[in-house]
Each structure stands twice: as C-alpha cells, then as structure tokens.
Amino acid sequence: MILTLNVAVLLAVIIYVRIRRRVQARSRGDQWLTVAIVTVFGLLLAPTDFGQGVVDLVGQVAQGVSRSSSP
C-alpha cells in the first residue's frame, strides 16, 4: 500500500507537469501517453482509502444533482 501511494504521487506530479504544457505543442501520441498515465493513476488511487472517499463524495454530489433536477 505504501508503494502504491508513492507511485501515485509520482504519477500525479508527472500529470501536473504534462498538463501545464501548451495544448498546441502536443502530438497525438503525446496526448495518448497522457491519457494512459492518467488511467494508471486512477487505477492506483482507486483501492486506497482516499480513492474510496473521492468515489463516495462524487456519488453524493451526483445524487444531490439528480434529486434537485427531478420534479
């Protein structure tokens, strides 16, 4: 579990650096690499307590939005 969090932190830093670059300077391959890195980051983060908390929070927000939009 500790190794997973360290890899997740490293991937978060890599994602931050890659997202800050200008969009016009990216090639299609570069965009796919960013998508792959973000996917791996999500898979590493999901089984942690923090990941489960984020999932619960997003679920509550989605339920609140769906309840407020229905008559």
Side-chain angles (χ1 to χ4, degrees):
M1 177 111 156
I2 293 173
L3 178 63
T4 302
L5 289 177
N6 289 338
V7 172
V9 169
L10 176 64
L11 284 176
V13 170
I14 292 171
I15 290 167
Y16 177 75
V17 169
R18 292 183 66 83
I19 297 285
R20 284 190 37 195
R21 291 181 31 204
R22 293 184 51 194
V23 176
Q24 295 85 3
R26 295 185 187 161
S27 66
R28 187 174 301 269
D30 194 26
Q31 290 174 348
W32 279 110
L33 180 61
T34 302
V35 168
I37 291 171
V38 169
T39 302
V40 170
F41 177 70
L43 291 174
L44 287 173
L45 194 63
T48 64
D49 291 335
F50 176 73
Q52 293 301 314
V54 170
V55 168
D56 292 339
L57 179 69
V58 170
Q60 289 176 1
V61 169
Q63 285 178 353
V65 168
S66 65
R67 286 183 188 159
S68 68
S69 64
S70 62

